[in-house]
Amino acid sequence: MDDQLAERLAAVDARIADAARAAHRDPAGITRIVVTKFHPASLVEELHALGVRDVGENRQQELTSKRGEVGPLDGLSWHFIGQAQTNKARAVREAASVVHSVDRARIADALNAAGTPGREVLDVLVQVNLTDDVGRGGVSPDGVVELADYVAGLAGLRLRGVMAVAPLDEEPARAFERLAEASARLRSIVPDSDWISAGMTADFPEAISMGATHLRIGSAITGPRPTRG
Ligand SMILES: *Cc1c(COP(=O)(O)O)cnc(C)c1O
């Protein structure tokens, strides 16, 4: 077991608790997802032994192979946080408990069609693009209600909330404010879809202060990512 891993995890959790307290929020209402992308499956096993129950991956192939490698780990949820391609929807649905990155009707349809009627529904979030660059993942804030309305009509999916990545060239708190507004609009059509997935290594305290319920934290916990060839 890597002692430093346990130390980094504890240090991040302490910072989460501090930020929650400062925002007058209960830390128990915040889910910390450890982003394990680029790292070997053994890291997921180590994290699980340390009590981690939520991990995140951003590529379907890596998610599928890592999940197969570690086998069933008690209570572990796999979150898919990357750009989803329609032709990979079936594989994503098989491996993930939650998909954070639904940003168009087509991917919602593909994830919905990949389910089995009568079986478990898939938790999904609508990804919101907080940048001006339309090439980035996510629906524009103006399009959130229309997409959410569409997703809410699909029987195999359960709309849980919104997700975003803060732009690099803006104060994260300002960007997360727009995400909180998008969340409010989404709750006006699906009242209990109150998850806000936001906050990474560089900006999770700001995300907590703006209401994030799900943090996606990688390198602050895992250490630097190995480069991928
Ligand atoms: C990699 C990644 C993260 C985690 O990034 P860190 O800066 O390592 O915390 C969070 N969200 C998404 C969508 C990512 O791709």
Side-chain angles (χ1 to χ4, degrees):
M1 181 65 62
D2 174 358
D3 284 344
Q4 287 184 357
L5 182 65
E7 278 166 25
R8 287 190 300 261
L9 180 66
V12 166
D13 284 348
R15 291 177 61 202
I16 293 171
D18 284 347
R21 224 170 285 122
H24 308 289
R25 297 185 55 201
D26 180 358
I30 297 172
T31 301
R32 173 255 297 121
I33 300 160
V34 183
V35 178
T36 47
K37 66 187 185 197
F38 296 41
H39 289 281
S42 58
L43 182 75
V44 175
E45 293 168 340
E46 285 180 52
L47 287 164
H48 185 266
L50 292 170
V52 169
R53 292 296 177 267
D54 293 275
V55 294
E57 289 287 336
N58 73 335
R59 286 189 175 188
Q60 174 272 320
Q61 277 190 334
E62 191 176 345
L63 167 68
T64 301
S65 67
K66 220 176 266 185
R67 187 165 180 168
E69 253 184 274
V70 301
L73 289 173
D74 241 14
L76 186 67
S77 290
W78 295 81
H79 297 251
F80 186 71
I81 62 173
Q83 297 260 87
Q85 291 169 270
T86 49
N87 62 340
K88 303 284 177 61
R90 186 163 298 275
V92 168
R93 177 143 196 173
E94 269 165 22
S97 317
V98 186
V99 173
H100 290 235
S101 43
V102 169
D103 61 358
R104 58 201 190 281
R106 263 168 55 83
I107 190 66
D109 279 336
L111 289 167
N112 184 54
T116 312
R119 291 269 299 276
E120 225 173 325
V121 298
L122 178 70
D123 284 332
V124 299
L125 294 97
V126 164
Q127 183 176 354
V128 184
N129 182 358
L130 299 176
T131 73
D132 297 327
D133 177 357
V134 293
R136 299 287 293 271
V139 64
S140 81
D142 292 343
V144 168
V145 165
E146 191 184 341
L147 180 59
D149 203 34
Y150 186 80
V151 173
L154 299 173
L157 305 183
R158 181 172 178 199
L159 181 62
R160 302 307 303 252
V162 289
M163 176 275 219
V165 176
L168 292 171
D169 57 355
E170 186 185 3
E171 277 289 312
R174 279 191 49 197
F176 291 144
E177 213 172 293
R178 294 200 296 287
L179 184 63
E181 287 162 12
S183 167
R185 286 199 299 279
L186 182 137
R187 279 179 284 122
S188 72
I189 48 171
V190 184
D192 66 349
S193 66
D194 54 1
W195 294 8
I196 300 179
S197 167
M200 307 174 27
T201 288
D203 55 24
F204 70 85
E206 289 89 342
I208 291 168
S209 73
M210 295 313 300
T213 61
H214 290 66
L215 315 173
R216 308 177 312 268
I217 304 178
S219 47
I221 294 171
T222 64
R225 281 185 278 277
T227 49
R228 177 159 47 190

